[in-house]
Amino acid sequence: MLLEMHCHTSEHSSCSHVCALELVQQVFAKGLQGVVLTDHHYLWPLREIEELRRRSRVPDHFLILSGQEVHTRELGDVLVFGATERFRRGTTLKRIRSRQPEAALVWAHPYRKGNLPDDGELTHPLLDAVEIFNSNQTVRENSRGLVDWHRLRFTALAGTDTHGPTYAGLYPTLFDHPFRDINELAREIRGGRCRPFLKEIPRAGAHSTVTEVTIGAKGADEVRPRIILRTLDSESSWRSAERAHHILESLAGCGFDGGRFRIPRPIDEDPASRTLIQEGLRGKSLHDKLLAVPPTDAPCFVELAARWLARLHACRLKLTPAAEFLDVERKRLARYVERFVSIDHPFARRVEEIAEVVGAGEMELGGKETLLVQGHGDYHPKNIFIGQDRQDDPATLFVAAIDFESSLCLPPAFDVGTFLAQFRNQLFAHPPILAACPEALFLTAYLDELGETPEGFRRQVELFRARACLSIAAYLFKVGLGGSEDLHRVLIEAERALTGDWLPGDWLPPGGLSP
């Protein structure tokens, strides 16, 4: 059974702006099986509940029950279910328990306003459960409740704590067995046979355990909090992920925490357990989105991706050391070459020459610190999310980028060249999409959003296109496709990028590239 366990009515709670009739009807429309009215220090008499049921016209199987919220001396607000008397403000837990031994006592919104309950409070012997999810707690606070619940394994439930007309039933509680009255409900809580209604899905993660959590009941608007819990398996992985987390924090402060252009908001971090908590995004990757819509609809999503990137570069942030870009790139290029040279691959010499040209160009650009900005570092269609907050409202469409562990201070053209190469490679088997979204579409939208065309920008884009093609070739080799037509294709595309008229001659080796 799925019930709303925490709500206040305008009839008996001065803080509420929703009447009981509207509240009951909203909870029923949400698809729940019942509602418990928990007004402050008040119990609804049976005759009032029967009259409410008559006016609400809900089916007989829909439960309308009454508990109460009591402000206790020890822990503040506590939900009391199954008591036969009202309790005054300031009543102690001990008194409630002694007078109503069969009632269930649940600590309400213990994380609200940044409160950090200790383990002793969460497992207080007079409590039967803890309300870990509540609409009056922030996403960070609800996330902490989730982590503590998994760690301490106390009985937990959720409650919306409704005070207004629009969000009843958002955080329901799931009961294992059916019941018909408040006394049976209290017995189920005391027996630990309930939990918050949420979906937890383990996801594969390199060097980490990743869990995607969706909290609450699905409604017509599908506005449900989503969080990602990521626990790293080593100290080195933790340092890399924590670095990306802090970059996200900076971007959130630059306007990427909501609206049309976003990132997954960083919520919390726990160095002791090497766990990061971030906002989950509802939507599809740009890659999957383009495959799911008609080609005629594809250009608008590609334009959004271009404008997101331009906004990132326009911030001109410098969050990581400028010298790191060249150091990382030297190591990467050497690693790419080594894969081919180590087995004397037929294309080894071509790979070496491409890497030499790319390295020379990067050395020139990377030495100009004024040119560098904080970039994404791995900007491609599978790292870009397209979502919509409300499925019936196209105005809530948004684009977000994920996976910032490769973020460096780099020339802006690095991200642009990477996207163009990866876009063509990932969608090469879908010519209608490539035809509908020519490169000029992305470049025009990017430069329009940026508001300028940096000097030598097109030459730089082609240099980094070649660099991305080299990365793709090394990946294909790594996964056993070293003899594939795709590998040959991307090497040819790299060479074409490097031999175009836009490249300065001093980046090329004497005599040019080998045929």
Side-chain angles (χ1 to χ4, degrees), residues 140-197:
R140 176 189 292 263
E141 291 161 356
N142 283 334
S143 299
R144 292 191 177 191
L146 177 66
V147 171
D148 283 345
W149 176 43
H150 283 320
R151 180 173 59 86
L152 297 173
R153 301 181 182 275
F154 49 75
T155 299
L157 52 77
T160 307
D161 199 1
T162 310
H163 290 75
T166 60
Y167 57 103
L170 183 62
Y171 292 106
T173 294
L174 179 66
F175 287 84
D176 294 342
H177 308 294
F179 50 82
R180 294 302 306 167
D181 59 40
I182 193 68
N183 296 320
E184 291 182 0
L185 178 148
R187 192 155 53 245
E188 293 300 299
I189 294 175
R190 293 200 315 273
R193 294 182 290 272
C194 61
R195 63 178 179 85
F197 186 65

Side-chain angles (χ1 to χ4, degrees), residues 238-315:
W238 165 253
R239 288 195 299 270
S240 177
E242 185 185 35
R243 173 181 177 275
H245 189 81
H246 291 162
I247 289 172
L248 288 176
E249 288 179 326
S250 296
L251 293 180
C254 292
F256 285 93
D257 60 338
R260 177 148 289 199
F261 302 96
R262 303 183 188 177
I263 54 164
R265 280 181 295 194
I267 297 172
D268 207 355
E269 60 179 310
D270 179 16
S273 63
R274 293 201 293 257
T275 298
L276 296 171
I277 304 176
Q278 293 178 350
E279 175 190 43
L281 298 171
R282 182 174 186 269
K284 295 178 179 286
S285 71
L286 175 62
H287 174 273
D288 292 347
K289 187 73 172 179
L290 295 178
L291 295 180
V293 301
T296 52
D297 293 345
C300 71
F301 302 119
V302 174
E303 287 186 10
L304 275 176
R307 293 183 184 279
W308 187 99
L309 185 61
R311 287 185 172 229
L312 170 66
H313 293 162
C315 293

Side-chain angles (χ1 to χ4, degrees), residues 85-97:
E85 62 179 301
R86 305 179 194 177
F87 291 100
R88 295 181 178 180
R89 181 182 180 87
T91 303
T92 64
L93 288 173
K94 185 177 181 180
R95 178 174 175 79
I96 298 174
R97 177 59 74 205

Side-chain angles (χ1 to χ4, degrees), residues 204-222:
H207 308 295
S208 63
T209 300
V210 181
T211 303
E212 177 184 314
V213 181
T214 304
I215 303 171
K218 182 177 181 179
D221 54 10
E222 180 59 290

